[in-house]
Amino acid sequence: MLSMNNYKWYYHLISASRAGEPHEQEYKVAGPLCDSGDVYFDIEREGRLPDYRRLPARVEPGEVLALLNTGAYSLAQMFHYNGRPLPAAVMIDGEGQPQLIRRRDTYEDLVSNDVW
């Protein structure tokens, strides 16, 4: 998500696991990678992003969070950064139903092109 810092893009964040619950608790959200763009709050306090993101109370490790409205950049900019499998992608169809449009990579996918 380096583009978020460079271009000052804001991606709305929700709890996909509990989307219907009130998002009133403030959290600082960051990802597992060593990239400064993997932080979803205004770490430099320059007014680009909110200082906190509102999510339901008691968010737990492993809870599914979703960045909304990322457009083409969600798939177009994915790569195997730090040997991490690429995520699945889900599209909501015209009926409001989720459709898997890309499966999550496996470890075998990460090494499938290695020849030595």
Side-chain angles (χ1 to χ4, degrees), residues 101-115:
I101 60 171
R102 185 191 187 287
R103 70 170 173 77
R104 180 182 179 166
D105 281 358
T106 64
Y107 176 74
E108 289 74 27
D109 294 325
L110 287 175
V111 298
S112 66
N113 291 322
D114 293 349
V115 294

Side-chain angles (χ1 to χ4, degrees), residues 52-74:
Y52 296 91
R53 294 303 186 95
R54 293 184 181 272
L55 295 167
R58 298 175 310 283
V59 169
E60 296 290 330
E63 185 166 336
V64 176
L65 303 180
L67 292 169
L68 305 181
N69 304 321
T70 58
Y73 298 101
S74 62

Side-chain angles (χ1 to χ4, degrees), residues 5 23 27 40 75-76 85 93 103:
N5 281 337
H23 283 51
Y27 293 90
Y40 305 102
L75 294 174
D93 68 19
R103 70 170 173 77

Side-chain angles (χ1 to χ4, degrees), residues 12 21 26 38 43 50 54 56 76 88 109 111:
H12 188 65
E21 293 182 24
E26 292 182 335
D38 208 25
I43 195 168
R54 293 184 181 272
D109 294 325
V111 298

Side-chain angles (χ1 to χ4, degrees), residues 31-48:
L33 304 179
C34 60
D35 187 338
S36 64
D38 208 25
V39 174
Y40 305 102
F41 61 92
D42 192 3
I43 195 168
E44 295 91 5
R45 298 195 176 271
E46 294 181 11
R48 296 184 304 233

